[in-house]
Amino acid sequence: MNIQEAKKQIKRSVMIYLTKDEYGAYVIPVEKQRPIFMIGAPGIGKTAIMEQIAEELNISLVSYSMTHHTRQSALGLPLIVHKEFKGQTYEVTEYTMSEIIVSIYDTIERTGCDEGILFLDEINCVSETLGPSMLQFLQYKTFGNHKIPNGWVIVTAGNPPEYNRSVREFDMATLDRLKVMDVSPDYDAWKFYARKSGVHEAVLTFLDIKKDDFYIADREKGAGYVTARGWEDLSEAIKLYEQKDFPVDETLISQYISVPRVAREFATYYALYSKYRSDYKIKDILKGCESAEIRDRAGRAGFDERLTITGLMLEYVQPEIRRNILEEESLRALLPKLREMKQAVKQGGLVHDLLDTVKDYFEKRMKTAEAAGKISFEERSINNYSLSFIRKCFDLLDVSNADSEEGRFAEVSREYQRRVESMKASVPVIQNELNNMFVFLERVFGDDNEILVAVTELTVTYASARFLSEHGCDGYYRHNRRLMVFERNQELMEEIEELDRKRNEKHSS
């Protein structure tokens, strides 16, 4: 199965393990909850999907790499206690609580959430001395004398032996107590995640052309490797290099992509990508004022170049869409707090003190999500935006001439309204850019694959799908219907609206 299918199966398993009966007891007793064992090649996203599952189910996540653990840190240290049996006192060895179990209780204390996932990576690479204890843990959910708390589901992961010399293969008796999932690299599955995470368009368009280079793990020593993790980390480096105007060359790329041929080919492609970005004047295309020369050149371009041009337009417009949606969600998260402030001011509250309370709320929400190990990019962005808004309000109050608390709150309210208007003003700009993109694609490429690529990318990306659902785009809907994905898009919109409803309920709680 691919990583997205594995995510679906694991999420369902966690949900049934955490299902309770009418008396509040878990329907499947803890001792019958088989730990999940994901086995797959390195760097395909096993840890990433665990973070996503924890966030989506609103539970905590505690992660450990078992290669870093000794028998003492996993089981606890021995200590001598005195016990009496039949009137005689004996010295007995017991163990302090395992560091891993302590982390679970610490997480429960910090977050107030009693349920979560304990994710143990590289489970089949534990040291020889720890091996028997790990097998006992998988069977009985105990480290030493201490049991995993009820409400915590065990998910483990490991690499097949051909990828790691340290692997200890489980015997049939152990495997029969696990839910085993074999996970294989799959570009199309990873791309869905990559779109949501904002992976650089150059990486995605390159891999669209050369899917076989998405994942390479040659077993021969020194042959090199390419992983999903490597592409994602390279993407982040490229974005920051571009911001600082550093050269993105083979020297940088080979630090993440260790197969020389792939690093060399991507370096060549990125150089062309950057050249096309300049030559085609993408901003002019999206403003609808490109020259006839640009249209003529694009019309004569080969398949790879056409795909790159489409990717460049998406590279420009998708971040704008994402920024608009995140700003909208952030303003929605702030609104109930500002309404509470308004009422408190009417009752004599001080605006400065009330802003401090709102700041504490968002800081605590951020810390709680981080402690639970499940904070997403979107959640972090909303909290950071909200905190930046509050800092701006403090700055405004420092220079305000208002002589009453109502007047000072009016300063806060005006800043909020200014941001709302700015967010709304960007909507028609983005709509116009999207329409101009489709006009260009129609005029230059007709009904060829490039329009299919554009419609598909806009449909499967959360931010753009939501933007189109709320604000529309004539060019998109024209081709969306023609390509017979309209019905599926409506299903996606309903799913997105349901996610929005749950997110809003979470923010208001």
Side-chain angles (χ1 to χ4, degrees):
M1 68 179 70
N2 63 46
I3 196 69
Q4 289 301 323
E5 180 62 27
K7 175 186 171 181
K8 184 195 303 181
Q9 294 297 327
I10 294 169
K11 184 176 178 180
R12 289 173 179 174
S13 296
V14 174
M15 290 173 73
I16 66 169
Y17 285 168
L18 297 182
T19 298
K20 297 179 180 179
D21 61 22
E22 63 269 30
Y23 304 108
Y26 292 105
V27 175
I28 301 178
V30 174
E31 60 273 13
K32 294 293 185 181
Q33 294 180 5
R34 286 191 175 204
I36 297 158
F37 179 40
M38 254 193 305
I39 185 163
I44 60 175
K46 297 188 288 290
T47 303
I49 65 166
M50 299 315 305
E51 294 168 351
Q52 295 166 31
I53 291 169
E55 182 199 357
E56 290 167 15
L57 296 180
N58 197 26
I59 58 177
S60 295
L61 174 68
V62 170
S63 299
Y64 271 94
S65 174
M66 294 311 298
T67 54
H68 302 153
H69 277 281
T70 64
R71 189 172 187 277
Q72 287 75 23
S73 63
L75 299 182
L77 294 171
L79 69 156
I80 305 299
V81 298
H82 294 87
K83 290 193 175 183
E84 189 173 298
F85 300 107
K86 294 185 177 181
Q88 189 166 348
T89 301
Y90 297 89
E91 291 183 339
V92 179
T93 301
E94 289 190 359
Y95 287 86
T96 58
M97 185 176 284
S98 160
E99 175 189 322
I100 295 172
I101 297 182
V102 168
S103 293
I104 294 175
Y105 282 112
D106 282 345
T107 300
I108 293 172
E109 288 290 321
R110 291 197 303 270
T111 65
C113 180
D114 292 329
E115 295 182 329
I117 298 169
L118 172 62
F119 178 56
L120 303 179
D121 199 5
E122 299 178 335
I123 190 75
N124 53 353
C125 294
V126 295
S127 64
E128 190 171 341
T129 56
L130 186 55
S133 300
M134 287 307 304
L135 296 181
Q136 180 190 38
F137 165 73
L138 293 173
Q139 294 175 17
Y140 304 109
K141 286 80 171 178
T142 60
F143 276 126
N145 301 334
H146 304 280
K147 195 170 185 178
I148 297 294
N150 288 350
W152 281 75
V153 177
I154 300 166
V155 181
T156 67
N159 304 138
E162 60 264 31
Y163 294 104
N164 194 324
R165 298 175 189 169
S166 304
V167 164
R168 298 164 52 85
E169 294 196 58
F170 293 148
D171 57 30
M172 190 183 76
T174 302
L175 291 173
D176 192 40
R177 291 173 168 83
L178 303 174
K179 292 184 69 169
V180 181
M181 298 181 187
D182 287 306
V183 186
S184 303
D186 185 306
Y187 172 63
D188 290 328
W190 176 79
K191 187 179 177 181
F192 182 83
Y193 158 79
R195 273 279 172 225
K196 185 177 180 182
S197 301
V199 168
H200 197 287
E201 197 69 38
V203 170
L204 296 179
T205 50
F206 174 79
L207 292 175
D208 283 339
I209 299 165
K210 294 179 172 290
K211 290 186 179 182
D212 289 344
D213 290 338
F214 166 61
Y215 197 97
I216 300 173
D218 290 338
R219 277 65 165 186
E220 296 178 12
K221 186 176 180 181
Y225 52 88
V226 181
T227 68
R229 182 191 299 128
W231 286 117
E232 186 173 4
D233 292 348
L234 174 61
S235 164
E236 291 304 306
I238 290 173
K239 286 188 280 188
L240 291 170
Y241 265 54
E242 288 177 343
Q243 283 182 22
K244 296 183 179 298
D245 203 24
F246 295 160
V248 175
D249 53 22
E250 190 174 343
T251 302
L252 169 70
I253 294 163
S254 61
Q255 295 166 26
Y256 299 88
I257 307 300
S258 75
V259 174
R261 174 190 62 79
V262 179
R264 185 168 55 253
E265 289 180 0
F266 181 72
T268 302
Y269 176 80
Y270 180 81
L272 276 173
Y273 185 91
S274 300
K275 184 176 185 300
Y276 293 153
R277 184 191 281 158
S278 172
D279 289 354
Y280 278 101
K281 297 180 174 56
I282 299 300
K283 290 183 181 180
D284 287 350
I285 294 175
L286 296 176
K287 289 178 181 176
C289 59
E290 77 280 355
S291 66
E293 180 185 354
I294 292 294
R295 291 194 296 272
D296 183 60
R297 176 178 172 179
R300 290 185 282 104
F303 171 75
D304 290 1
E305 189 169 337
R306 289 180 171 207
L307 197 62
T308 302
I309 296 166
T310 307
L312 284 165
M313 288 190 283
L314 290 168
E315 177 194 55
Y316 187 91
V317 75
Q318 288 275 36
E320 290 189 333
I321 293 173
R322 193 178 196 186
R323 191 158 44 246
N324 177 271
I325 293 298
L326 284 173
E327 189 169 10
E328 181 184 354
E329 291 189 348
S330 301
L331 291 166
R332 284 182 178 177
L334 277 165
L335 185 58
K337 296 300 171 184
L338 296 184
R339 286 173 174 164
E340 291 173 8
M341 279 185 65
K342 184 176 181 180
Q343 292 301 316
V345 169
K346 288 179 179 179
Q347 297 169 10
L350 301 178
V351 172
H352 196 284
D353 293 346
L354 293 169
L355 276 174
D356 263 331
T357 301
V358 177
K359 177 172 74 72
D360 291 344
Y361 166 80
F362 283 105
E363 286 178 343
K364 181 179 179 182
R365 195 171 79 164
M366 177 93 85
K367 288 177 182 177
T368 300
E370 289 175 338
K374 61 179 183 180
I375 189 164
S376 65
F377 170 83
E378 290 79 7
E379 184 78 7
R380 191 182 300 278
S381 298
I382 290 168
N383 279 285
N384 285 335
Y385 181 97
S386 301
L387 291 169
S388 72
F389 169 81
I390 294 164
R391 287 193 294 272
K392 176 65 175 177
C393 290
F394 279 132
D395 291 342
L396 291 172
L397 293 178
D398 287 342
V399 297
S400 173
N401 294 321
D403 56 2
S404 68
E405 293 304 311
E406 287 81 2
R408 280 184 274 275
F409 179 75
E411 296 272 13
V412 174
S413 183
R414 278 193 292 272
E415 173 62 18
Y416 180 84
Q417 192 58 39
R418 184 191 67 77
R419 294 186 179 217
V420 170
E421 290 169 1
S422 173
M423 181 269 295
K424 289 181 177 179
S426 68
V427 170
V429 174
I430 295 170
Q431 285 176 308
N432 190 53
E433 289 173 345
L434 286 170
N435 277 311
N436 287 332
M437 178 177 73
F438 280 106
V439 168
F440 178 84
L441 292 172
E442 291 165 353
R443 183 180 296 177
V444 175
F445 303 137
D447 288 333
D448 219 333
N449 290 331
E450 292 73 24
I451 288 180
L452 173 61
V453 168
V455 169
T456 302
E457 299 298 343
L458 291 169
T459 302
V460 301
T461 305
Y462 166 79
S464 54
R466 176 170 162 181
F467 181 91
L468 290 164
S469 173
E470 292 181 1
H471 307 295
C473 166
D474 292 340
Y476 169 81
Y477 283 117
R478 186 163 61 249
H479 293 287
N480 179 274
R481 292 187 182 94
R482 186 180 302 173
L483 294 166
M484 301 180 67
V485 295
F486 181 76
E487 291 80 7
R488 176 55 187 148
N489 190 53
Q490 291 301 104
E491 294 174 11
L492 287 170
M493 294 307 104
E494 291 171 6
E495 292 172 15
I496 288 166
E497 288 171 5
E498 178 65 14
L499 287 172
D500 286 343
R501 184 186 64 77
K502 290 179 179 178
R503 185 180 285 112
N504 290 335
E505 288 176 355
K506 180 180 173 184
H507 287 161
S508 61
S509 63

